[in-house]
Amino acid sequence: MLALLAGPVVGSAQAVSDDVQGPIEEVVVVGTRALPRSVEDSSVPVDIIGTEDFENQAGFDMSNLIRSAVPSFHVSDNPTRDLAALLRPVNLRGLAPDHTLVLMNNKRRHRGSVIQWVSNGASNGAQGPDISAIPAFAVQRMEVLRDGAAAQYGSDAIAGVLNFVLKDAAEGVALEARYGAYTERSGEDMTSIAANIGLALTDDGFANFSFEYGESAPTDRSVQHRDATALIGLGIANVAVPAKPWGSPTVNDSIKAVANIGVDLSDSNELYAFGNYASREVSTAFFFRSPMNRNGVYKTSANKFLVAGEGCAAKYGDIDSTAANLMSFRETVLADEGCFSFVETHAEGFTPQFGATISDISGVIGVRGEWANGLMWDISAGIGENSLAAFNHNTLNASLGPNSPRDFDIGDYTQRDTNFNADVVYPVDLGASDLNVAAGFEVRTEEFQITAGERSAWEIGPYNRYGFGSGSNGFGGFNPTASGTWDRGNVAGYLDLEVNPTEAWRIGGAVRFEDFDGFGSTTNFKLATHLRLSDSFALRGSTGTGFRAPTPGQSNARNLSTVVNAVTNEFEERGTIGPTHPVAMALGGRELQPEESRSLSVGAVLAADNGFSLTVDYFSIDIEERIALSGIFDVTDDIKQRLVADGVPEANEFTSVRYFTNDFDTDTAGIDVVASYGWNNANGNADLLFSFNTTDTEVVDSSSISAGTIRNLEHGWPETRYNLTYRQSFNQWDVVARYSFYGDWYDDHAGADFSGYGLADVQVRYDFASGLAVTLGAENVLDEYPDEAINYGNGRRYPRYAPAGHNGALVYAKVGFSM
């Protein structure tokens, strides 16, 4: 097989040896366009997460697996957080999900379809990739580049890069089945099965296939809702216990498949292709709707019971919506055939179940080779699509009255990306020094689509005139006005040079030009250096600029809903619209511009002969013109009339709006430490790995974001995190112990700061000579929880954004077979 060892390509780069002790001795390709090199020889900090790091955990969600291995990586469960609970946003170094570029086999991966309309801190308004679609069983290793790399890879690579390198064995079979359960409550379990097979493809190729299927039950860490307790006290039947569950979402029918194929066309040319398919259904509980707390369904914003029918408001509209009045009001309205209230039909309240079927598919095909003069080339094309078909069950469109359905199809989000790349690498022997020249060309298109939901999910029904809200309660359907397709194309070119002035000193530089439809062009650069002071000690550093281009979804997506104005008690159309929509531009909106960043990284590397290694890196990332959702602006009658006169009749649809805008600047700085030590002892081989991250973000300039948003951006996740992992192998036994600590953080839903907490994990595996392996383990074996934040008014026991979750101990077993 031809292994084209160049940055644009991931061939069959392997570890230096089979008995790697820690990450320092691994070979990586991310972060450079020269020949792959060991981590300790890299000019920028890179972590290697091997397949065993994923296998030594219980779950099957890639986001959680990375969180346990990379301290600067953050993800939380986001219960009851709309789309953020279904496709969870992830943060590297405290920055937004779309500040981290995701690659597969060193090729850009498409972003997800979800725009985080309602999320926490830096994730608000972001549209990042769906890494949960990647099965861990297909990954040979993951490379985490902790450095800005937009000049090398393009938009989004501000916080860093995640590169998933797929398995490429041409033989072998591996099977695995997992079962795990939380100890606090029965029925909260997760199961998965996975398989990987490598096949020879002709005499000079491979075809490697991976498959994974998983399911996980929802968890519940709630207290009973105060209103539900009151309803039970009144003797109302069928009140749910708990009325509002808080916990991890339900995941059904999670299917993931990956194919990775390569075949030599000649001694110097190779055809390669890889693809990924995934689908899963995810659902979570919304807030409990009781007759005492839900405007537009049971009551008015003035806390009076809501009633429909001619003259009914005059007869019953002054009754306070309290538990004390509920039973008498219900009996009265039931006896009056001309009047209607949902207290008659749904006195027990209801809790919407919001969810979606998320599908993801991608594929890349390319040809690469090497000419006789040493020039290496790679031409590839790829396409990726992520779609979300949303539903809202066990709810109502109150404006349809007693005839309202209970289940609704909300509509679809779809994101589609296409890429064409041509790259060349030419190593030049200058005698006393080596020069590596790389250049490339890219054409990329992003397309975002909103498909309208079923009519009953968004229509304004006949009961609207009595004050009942329209659209499926909890999450209104996408109406035809909000639907549409938007795209944006760009072309890019880059030049990348690396030179060794001396045997111990390397200097690298890259410059990249990109031109985008709509807002023009941007040019970025990067400089990096590595200086070896001795056989075991080196200094490294980098500086450069970066950017993140706004997505077509952020520039154009619309989300229109009907709400009740709390002051006037009148219904109004409130929406999120594109910044260049005529209504937005009348309020100050403008074409979104790229976010621009400046980054600096300075570090030291120690790699001793005794198996000990240590890297320490300081970093800073300053971002200007970050994209955020604006405040809510009223659309006055004057604006409506002026726009209608100018030929924009739909201006009449809006009462208040918000839109994406380049709004604020941030400075982020921190320190990463990675230390490892591997040794042989009387019991076999042992490894000890310590990784530490501290990251601080400060909002240094903003025009309209609130003080609460600023606090979320600065303190919405732990500033400090560290992991300590010990692994001991002897005979046929393998033992892993891991401790992960999460520092203090602020939770805006609870409105309070919370103390840090740590989780301890243990795992024991026995490998039989036949290829069978049995594993027993426990995550959070000491059953630790975050500090409580009990709120009986909404049923919450723990803070919503607990960085390591709030589910307690998880015990699991795995059975694997390989040959």
Side-chain angles (χ1 to χ4, degrees):
M1 289 294 296
L2 169 71
L4 181 58
L5 300 180
V9 183
V10 174
S12 55
Q14 301 291 335
V16 172
S17 64
D18 293 332
D19 55 346
V20 170
Q21 305 294 341
I24 286 296
E25 298 177 10
E26 293 277 2
V27 171
V28 297
V29 295
V30 73
T32 179
R33 294 193 181 270
L35 299 181
R37 55 175 55 96
S38 64
V39 172
E40 63 90 15
D41 195 40
S42 175
S43 300
V44 291
V46 181
D47 295 324
I48 302 299
I49 311 300
T51 183
E52 69 279 357
D53 295 295
F54 297 139
E55 292 172 354
N56 292 338
Q57 299 184 57
F60 57 86
D61 188 298
M62 181 60 76
S63 299
N64 290 343
L65 299 178
I66 299 175
R67 177 178 66 185
S68 297
V70 181
S72 58
F73 185 91
H74 170 80
V75 64
S76 58
D77 284 345
N78 300 326
T80 315
R81 213 53 173 159
D82 291 359
L83 296 171
L86 310 182
L87 198 161
R88 297 181 299 156
V90 300
N91 312 99
L92 187 67
R93 288 180 159 180
L95 298 179
D98 42 17
H99 286 149
T100 299
L101 177 64
V102 176
L103 310 175
M104 179 174 283
N105 278 0
N106 228 33
K107 300 295 184 180
R108 174 184 285 268
R109 188 167 171 83
H110 59 287
R111 69 179 73 252
S113 58
V114 169
I115 298 174
Q116 303 290 346
W117 303 112
V118 183
S119 191
N120 186 40
S123 298
N124 270 341
Q127 189 182 357
D130 180 12
I131 62 175
S132 293
I134 303 172
F137 217 61
V139 176
Q140 178 174 288
R141 68 181 185 276
M142 184 184 72
E143 302 171 347
V144 184
L145 171 62
R146 293 180 277 109
D147 193 56
Q152 296 167 295
Y153 297 105
S155 176
D156 303 353
I158 290 178
V161 178
L162 303 181
N163 184 30
F164 294 90
V165 181
L166 301 176
K167 293 178 179 177
D168 58 4
E171 61 181 5
V173 175
L175 306 172
E176 183 182 83
R178 305 188 189 193
Y179 174 80
Y182 289 100
T183 60
E184 179 169 318
R185 191 164 302 177
S186 63
E188 297 181 338
D189 56 1
M190 61 178 67
T191 58
S192 68
I193 57 173
N196 174 264
I197 182 171
L199 302 171
L201 189 63
T202 73
D203 294 334
D204 300 299
F206 71 91
N208 193 277
F209 301 99
S210 301
F211 173 82
E212 182 182 271
Y213 177 87
E215 291 192 342
S216 59
T219 63
D220 174 24
R221 300 294 178 268
S222 62
V223 294
Q224 181 60 302
H225 197 287
R226 182 180 292 117
D227 286 352
T229 300
L231 293 175
I232 293 172
L234 293 172
I236 300 292
N238 301 319
V239 178
V241 180
K244 165 47 184 130
W246 283 87
S248 300
T250 305
V251 179
N252 288 325
D253 298 327
S254 174
I255 300 172
K256 306 173 188 178
V258 166
N260 188 26
I261 298 169
V263 61
D264 284 353
L265 301 177
S266 68
D267 291 340
S268 58
N269 297 300
E270 179 187 16
L271 172 70
Y272 63 91
F274 56 90
N276 178 201
Y277 169 79
S279 176
R280 65 189 186 275
E281 182 185 276
V282 188
S283 61
T284 186
F286 273 167
F287 288 114
F288 176 57
R289 274 74 171 149
S290 87
M292 287 84 75
N293 77 4
R294 192 51 50 174
N295 293 352
V297 179
Y298 293 105
K299 70 182 191 70
T300 69
S301 60
N303 292 318
K304 307 295 183 180
F305 279 118
L306 190 58
V307 62
E310 297 302 325
C312 295
K315 290 192 288 183
Y316 311 118
D318 290 331
I319 302 176
D320 292 336
S321 56
T322 63
N325 296 330
L326 176 61
M327 297 303 287
S328 60
F329 172 74
R330 183 189 186 201
E331 293 174 0
T332 301
V333 176
L334 277 170
D336 191 335
E337 294 184 359
C339 299
F340 171 77
S341 168
F342 279 105
V343 170
E344 298 179 55
T345 55
H346 301 89
E348 72 281 3
F350 61 95
T351 302
Q353 190 75 14
F354 177 68
T357 297
I358 303 172
S359 301
D360 192 283
I361 187 168
S362 62
V364 173
I365 186 169
V367 180
R368 58 196 178 204
E370 182 176 356
W371 291 348
N373 63 358
L375 184 143
M376 295 172 283
W377 55 271
D378 180 11
I379 298 175
S380 65
I383 185 170
E385 179 180 290
N386 183 275
S387 63
L388 178 145
F391 59 81
N392 199 7
H393 294 167
N394 192 42
T395 187
L396 299 162
N397 181 340
S399 69
L400 298 176
N403 296 320
S404 171
R406 298 303 306 275
D407 299 332
F408 302 88
D409 291 331
I410 302 300
D412 300 351
Y413 280 149
T414 302
Q415 173 75 23
R416 186 178 298 108
D417 296 358
T418 58
N419 292 273
F420 173 82
N421 294 86
D423 304 278
V424 294
V425 176
Y426 186 50
V428 182
D429 186 357
L430 300 180
S433 62
D434 293 324
L435 171 67
N436 190 83
V437 180
F441 174 76
E442 180 181 35
V443 179
R444 182 160 57 93
T445 300
E446 291 189 52
E447 181 181 279
F448 182 76
Q449 181 178 32
I450 299 178
T451 304
E454 63 177 315
R455 182 178 182 87
S456 61
W458 51 262
E459 72 173 310
I460 301 174
Y463 282 69
N464 176 247
R465 64 192 180 101
Y466 299 115
F468 289 83
S470 62
S472 61
N473 192 265
F475 198 103
F478 308 142
N479 64 27
T481 305
S483 63
T485 301
W486 306 271
D487 59 36
R488 169 169 288 154
N490 73 288
V491 295
Y494 72 87
L495 176 66
D496 189 314
L497 303 175
E498 285 192 26
V499 64
N500 290 81
T502 69
E503 186 176 344
W505 184 25
R506 181 174 62 255
I507 303 173
V511 62
R512 187 183 188 93
F513 173 83
E514 295 213 23
D515 185 69
F516 289 82
D517 293 344
F519 59 78
S521 61
T522 178
T523 302
N524 293 272
F525 79 91
K526 181 175 182 177
L527 296 173
T529 188
H530 182 279
L531 177 63
R532 182 171 295 281
L533 300 179
S534 71
D535 290 341
S536 60
F537 185 73
L539 300 176
R540 63 188 180 189
S542 67
T543 186
T545 61
F547 72 103
R548 186 187 75 78
T551 71
Q554 291 172 325
S555 298
N556 299 282
R558 299 176 60 185
N559 183 23
L560 184 66
S561 59
T562 303
V563 299
V564 178
N565 187 296
V567 177
T568 65
N569 201 32
E570 298 291 332
F571 284 87
E572 60 186 44
E573 296 300 308
R574 178 175 298 171
T576 301
I577 58 178
T580 57
H581 188 282
V583 173
M585 296 188 72
L587 295 166
R590 61 186 176 90
E591 178 77 39
L592 291 176
Q593 300 300 306
E595 300 175 341
E596 298 181 348
S597 69
R598 299 183 304 276
S599 63
L600 172 69
S601 177
V602 179
V605 180
L606 174 65
D609 293 335
N610 63 356
F612 175 77
S613 65
L614 172 68
T615 65
V616 180
D617 294 277
Y618 165 83
F619 65 89
S620 68
I621 308 168
D622 300 338
I623 307 178
E624 297 178 349
E625 297 291 318
R626 287 184 63 169
I627 295 172
L629 285 167
S630 71
I632 298 173
F633 297 98
D634 292 332
V635 184
T636 65
D637 290 339
D638 178 66
I639 292 175
K640 292 180 182 180
Q641 292 169 8
R642 178 158 43 88
L643 290 173
V644 169
D646 290 341
V648 188
E650 64 177 343
N652 272 325
E653 297 179 8
F654 299 100
T655 306
S656 60
V657 298
R658 60 179 183 170
Y659 50 85
F660 284 104
T661 180
N662 295 92
D663 187 82
F664 64 99
D665 303 342
T666 58
D667 291 349
T668 298
I671 296 174
D672 289 314
V673 179
V674 178
S676 67
Y677 181 52
W679 70 97
N680 297 323
N681 55 31
N683 294 322
N685 299 322
D687 293 281
L688 186 65
L689 175 66
F690 173 77
S691 52
F692 168 89
N693 168 263
T694 180
T695 300
D696 178 70
T697 293
E698 180 183 1
V699 177
V700 295
D701 184 35
S702 65
S703 59
S704 65
I705 60 175
S706 67
T709 299
I710 291 175
R711 191 168 186 187
N712 275 334
L713 286 162
E714 296 181 338
H715 305 293
W717 41 75
E719 179 177 317
T720 300
R721 268 206 59 197
Y722 63 82
N723 294 341
L724 180 64
T725 303
Y726 174 74
R727 181 176 179 180
Q728 175 72 59
S729 298
F730 55 96
N731 297 328
Q732 292 169 278
W733 293 91
D734 187 83
V735 179
V736 177
R738 178 175 53 244
Y739 182 78
S740 302
F741 179 79
Y742 302 78
D744 301 349
W745 82 98
Y746 171 74
D747 191 287
D748 70 333
H749 194 66
D753 293 297
F754 290 88
S755 300
Y757 64 119
L759 309 182
D761 308 330
V762 295
Q763 177 181 285
V764 178
R765 187 183 75 237
Y766 184 81
D767 295 307
F768 294 90
S770 62
L772 180 71
V774 176
T775 303
L776 299 177
E779 294 188 347
N780 191 10
V781 66
L782 300 179
D783 203 26
E784 294 291 330
Y785 292 84
D787 293 340
E788 291 189 344
I790 293 179
N791 185 330
Y792 288 99
N794 64 26
R796 190 194 66 238
R797 178 184 295 275
Y798 299 107
R800 167 181 268 168
Y801 297 113
H806 44 240
N807 287 322
L810 171 69
V811 297
Y812 62 94
K814 296 187 289 184
V815 178
F817 176 77
S818 60
M819 59 178 293

